[in-house]
């Protein structure tokens, strides 16, 4: 799990976003407001910081923190996939810069939310607890083959079929109610990793469950075009991903919108209808420095990509 306290890739992100005083910065994943506070200092009192988060508690804390920096702040609670509606509600037509720092933040790992495998009270896992199905409801209902697919595709879970079977057997005896219960079922069914791994055997399964319950990849797929549509020409967008599936979606989208041909290799002429709307600012994905990884080990899987909008879109 990415239980991070310090904002990751801070300097690298703001070097790429190049915020100017007076600009409008939209933080799609306010979290605890670490990146957004830095943005508030850079855009200053003439600028504007918009905060969005699915997690009402994180958003509240981030709004308070960012407001102390002196830039005007507006906040919207909800899924960044609905970015257009959030910006309309906040009275913001276009942004100069947007950032999404994907994943979880520390508030969400507190007991009672079921995000940590130590949690003996809950298996909720929703980032937005006002809507949708909890992880317990999902797990007590999902089809075995579908669960195996989710564990395999999102978490690369060793023995995914065996783990799914163990979940179905356990829930036929009694419903699965807590994260600790789920983690114990996974630990009992998954093959032991070779060597002495310090990672809990349920780490990947917990992450897969969280990703499916929060529809994380489909939300990201909807958010990217919504963010690009609301960026002014010359505006910058940056994304920090922690999961290979998220990183791939971001890379593919930037490549497509910077006009990289998506046709099958060897195709005689280009028919993919490529557009040149973005220019990549990160020819190679940016990763945390060795120093950052040493003081913040959970940053090690972070991958940053950024791009600048160079043409009107949609036309
Ligand atoms: C890693 S934290 C962000 C930390 C933040 N950059 C900071 O400096 O404190 C990720 C945040 O994104 C939020 N989040 C994840 N998926 C979301 C979505 N689809 N829509 C809105 N917020 C989302 C989570 O609730 C969490 O608070």
């Amino acid at each position: 799990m990415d239980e991070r306290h310090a904002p990751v890739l801070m300097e690298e992100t703001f070097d790429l976003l190049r915020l100017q005083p007076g600009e409008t910065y939209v933080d799609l994943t306010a979290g605890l407001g670490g990146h957004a506070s830095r943005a508030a200092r850079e855009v200053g009192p003439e600028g504007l910081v918009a905060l969005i988060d699915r997690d009402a508690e994180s958003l509240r804390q981030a709004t308070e923190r960012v407001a102390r920096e002196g830039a005007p702040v507006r906040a919207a609670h909800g899924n960044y996939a609905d970015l257009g509606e959030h910006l309309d509600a906040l009275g913001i037509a276009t942004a100069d810069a947007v950032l999404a720092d994907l994943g979880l933040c520390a508030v969400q790992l507190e007991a009672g939310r079921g995000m940590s495998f130590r949690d003996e009270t809950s298996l909720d896992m929703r980032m937005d607890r006002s809507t949708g199905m909890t992880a317990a409801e999902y797990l007590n209902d999902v089809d075995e083959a579908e669960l195996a697919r989710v564990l395999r595709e999102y978490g690369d879970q060793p023995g995914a079929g065996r783990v799914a079977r163990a979940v179905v057997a356990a829930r036929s005896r009694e419903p699965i109610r807590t994260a600790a219960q789920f983690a114990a079922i996974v630990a009992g069914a998954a093959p032991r990793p070779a060597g002495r791994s310090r990672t809990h055997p349920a780490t990947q399964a917990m992450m897969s469950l969280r990703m499916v319950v929060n529809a994380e990849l489909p939300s990201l797929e909807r958010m990217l075009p919504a963010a690009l549509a609301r960026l002014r020409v010359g505006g910058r967008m940056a994304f920090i991903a922690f999961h290979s599936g998220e990183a791939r979606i971001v890379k593919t989208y930037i490549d497509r919108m910077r006009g990289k041909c998506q046709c099958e290799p060897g195709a005689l002429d280009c028919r993919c209808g490529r557009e040149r709307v973005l220019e990549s600012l990160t020819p190679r994905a940016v990763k945390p420095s060795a120093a950052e990884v040493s003081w913040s080990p959970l940053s090690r899987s972070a991958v940053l990509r950024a791009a600048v909008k160079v043409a009107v879109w949609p036309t």
Side-chain angles (χ1 to χ4, degrees), residues 196-244:
R196 275 203 290 153
S197 168
R198 285 169 57 217
T199 327
H200 190 287
T203 302
Q204 287 137 294
M206 290 285 290
M207 182 188 67
S208 304
L209 196 53
R210 189 201 83 209
M211 290 185 76
V212 73
V213 164
N214 291 289
E216 292 182 30
L217 298 184
S219 295
L220 177 60
E221 280 169 342
R222 278 177 56 208
M223 176 269 274
L224 291 166
L228 181 57
R230 300 300 281 258
L231 204 61
R232 71 159 166 91
V233 174
R236 291 81 61 204
M237 57 202 320
F239 306 97
I240 302 172
F242 289 82
H243 179 269
S244 58

Side-chain angles (χ1 to χ4, degrees), residues 4 7 28-35 53-55 58 78-80 101-105 108 127 219:
R4 292 165 293 128
L28 302 169
T29 53
L32 295 179
H35 288 104
D53 204 295
R54 258 175 140 169
D55 188 297
S58 298
N79 191 336
Y80 55 44
D101 170 21
L102 305 166
L104 276 190
C105 80
Q108 292 160 331
M127 292 184 190
S219 295

Side-chain angles (χ1 to χ4, degrees), residues 19 26 43 46 71 93 103-104 107 114 137 140 148 153 167 183 185 204 207 217 229 263 272-273 278 293 306 310:
L19 289 176
V26 179
V43 301
E46 307 298 323
L104 276 190
V107 169
E137 286 164 347
N140 286 307
E153 286 181 15
V167 166
I185 297 165
Q204 287 137 294
M207 182 188 67
L217 298 184
C263 296
C272 64
L278 286 175
V293 173
V310 292

Side-chain angles (χ1 to χ4, degrees), residues 75-254:
H77 175 226
N79 191 336
Y80 55 44
D82 304 318
L83 179 64
E85 285 108 274
H86 295 311
L87 291 182
D88 288 346
L90 297 178
I92 296 172
T94 53
D96 297 298
V98 301
L99 169 66
D101 170 21
L102 305 166
L104 276 190
C105 80
V107 169
Q108 292 160 331
L109 286 155
E110 284 166 9
R113 303 198 53 168
M115 296 278 199
S116 153
F117 43 68
R118 291 181 205 95
D119 196 327
E120 292 184 356
T121 61
S122 155
L123 185 50
D124 185 325
M125 285 197 161
R126 290 170 301 166
M127 292 184 190
D128 181 351
R129 287 187 286 176
S130 66
T131 179
M133 195 186 241
T134 67
E137 286 164 347
Y138 172 83
L139 217 49
N140 286 307
D141 185 59
V142 64
D143 174 73
E144 183 180 317
E146 170 61 9
L147 179 59
R149 183 191 69 79
V150 163
L151 294 171
R152 201 174 298 118
E153 286 181 15
Y154 289 178
D156 219 359
Q157 173 69 50
R162 228 198 293 167
V163 172
R165 209 168 316 127
V167 166
V168 169
R171 78 184 184 198
S172 70
R173 295 189 290 276
E174 58 163 344
I176 302 167
R177 291 201 178 84
T178 71
Q181 227 180 321
F182 173 63
I185 297 165
V186 175
R192 301 238 164 268
R196 275 203 290 153
S197 168
R198 285 169 57 217
T199 327
H200 190 287
T203 302
Q204 287 137 294
M206 290 285 290
M207 182 188 67
S208 304
L209 196 53
R210 189 201 83 209
M211 290 185 76
V212 73
V213 164
N214 291 289
E216 292 182 30
L217 298 184
S219 295
L220 177 60
E221 280 169 342
R222 278 177 56 208
M223 176 269 274
L224 291 166
L228 181 57
R230 300 300 281 258
L231 204 61
R232 71 159 166 91
V233 174
R236 291 81 61 204
M237 57 202 320
F239 306 97
I240 302 172
F242 289 82
H243 179 269
S244 58
E246 288 171 346
R248 200 174 318 117
I249 289 171
V250 169
K251 179 180 186 312
T252 306
Y253 187 73
I254 293 179

